[in-house]
Amino acid sequence: MSDDDERSFFSEAPMRPVAKAKMAAEKPHYLGHRDRLRERFAAAGPDALPDYELLELLLFRLIPRADTKPAAKALLARFGTLAEVLGAPVGLLQEVKGIGPTVALDLKVVAATAQRMARGEVQGREILASWTQLLAYCRSAMAFEEREQFRILFLDKKNALIADEVQQTGTVDHTPVYPREVVRRALELSATAIILVHNHPSGDPTPSRADIEMTKEIIEAGKRLGIAVHDHIIIGRKGYASMKGLLLI
């Protein structure tokens, strides 16, 4: 029998029941679980799934040939919440069993996409009327940073966002801020108002004395040139603090 005839013979031969049963037995157990989880998501939406199952769904695409439940649960055990998983640095993500460099980077791509979506909710809109969306964007962008960032939202005369810039990045508990540089940049962008935002990597958003004094200096510098400071928001992992809301400015 020639090689071609042999290949044809085996390709046309019916599979025996024993062989079929063996293949079914060898089918990875997680494949059925993936199908059921996708069906639940399609039928009931994301709110019907706990964080670890939503993270599992995401990991299905990133880790196609493995049970992703252990990795999802390990990520949440390490970082706490789904938001904190996506906000974690690549290096720390890779310390979790089952998360390699490629998967860690893909998770950061998902995080960046979520931030871009949140920013789209406030870009060009009247900020003071979109406060909830603004806070959601600031939290997604800054809450899980390991170092302090000082961000400025520059607004036009209708209080619409015209620019969003990180002015300084500091240490775990301090960022140098120069009031004259803040005002100078506002003038360059023809902004008539600004909102100051910075994060506290410690997680506690309570303003420090230095935070309050620095904010007052920026307010005074801005007054001389017709630039208003609407608020200074401090972002923590578990919430935020508004200096205006706390009557500190």
Side-chain angles (χ1 to χ4, degrees):
M1 182 183 293
S2 68
D3 289 344
D4 289 342
D5 290 339
E6 188 175 0
R7 283 195 295 269
S8 176
F9 173 79
F10 283 111
S11 66
E12 293 174 1
M15 185 178 293
R16 296 180 180 180
V18 174
K20 289 183 178 179
K22 184 178 180 181
M23 287 183 65
E26 291 175 351
K27 182 179 179 181
H29 72 280
Y30 57 80
L31 294 182
H33 172 66
R34 289 186 172 200
D35 291 338
R36 290 189 297 272
L37 203 53
R38 289 190 181 101
E39 289 169 2
R40 283 176 53 205
F41 179 86
D47 290 341
L49 304 181
D51 277 2
Y52 82 89
E53 288 187 332
L54 200 57
L55 188 52
E56 271 191 86
L57 277 173
L58 176 59
L59 292 174
F60 286 171
R61 296 293 181 185
L62 308 184
I63 311 174
R65 290 179 294 277
D67 182 2
T68 59
K69 182 184 289 186
K73 289 192 171 183
L75 284 166
L76 290 169
R78 173 68 184 274
F79 299 108
T81 66
L82 182 55
E84 287 174 301
V85 169
L86 295 178
V90 167
L92 293 183
L93 288 170
Q94 291 181 63
E95 293 178 3
V96 176
K97 185 178 180 180
I99 305 300
T102 300
V103 174
L105 185 60
D106 285 344
L107 287 172
K108 299 310 296 182
V109 171
V110 173
T113 302
Q115 289 177 19
R116 192 69 59 86
M117 290 175 64
R119 181 174 181 172
E121 292 293 317
V122 297
Q123 186 72 42
R125 300 187 182 185
E126 204 279 302
I127 289 294
L128 301 183
S130 307
W131 201 249
T132 301
Q133 290 88 343
L134 172 67
L135 292 174
Y137 165 62
C138 291
R139 288 204 73 239
S140 69
M142 304 177 70
F144 307 108
E145 290 289 332
E146 293 186 298
R147 295 188 296 169
E148 278 200 10
Q149 287 185 351
F150 184 74
R151 181 182 297 265
I152 306 175
L153 308 179
F154 298 93
L155 313 179
D156 64 16
K157 61 183 179 181
K158 294 183 179 180
N159 287 323
L161 181 66
I162 57 176
D164 162 26
E165 297 180 354
V166 175
Q167 295 294 301
Q168 298 286 342
T169 298
T171 64
V172 295
D173 59 3
H174 175 69
T175 305
V177 178
Y178 307 100
R180 283 185 294 182
E181 290 300 309
V182 172
V183 174
R184 181 187 62 80
R185 185 58 177 154
L187 291 173
E188 289 176 350
L189 294 171
S190 300
T192 58
I194 58 176
I195 296 174
L196 311 175
V197 190
H198 84 277
N199 63 309
H200 279 179
S202 67
D204 181 3
T206 303
S208 67
R209 182 176 297 277
D211 292 336
I212 298 169
E213 292 175 354
M214 175 265 292
T215 305
K216 290 181 177 179
E217 289 177 10
I218 295 175
I219 290 173
E220 289 303 314
K223 276 182 181 178
R224 303 187 191 104
L225 297 169
I227 299 169
V229 178
H230 285 324
D231 204 346
H232 186 166
I233 302 168
I234 301 176
I235 301 293
R237 293 191 177 188
K238 304 301 182 182
Y240 73 96
S242 160
M243 287 199 188
K244 186 172 184 179
L246 293 172
L247 304 179
L248 296 174
I249 58 174

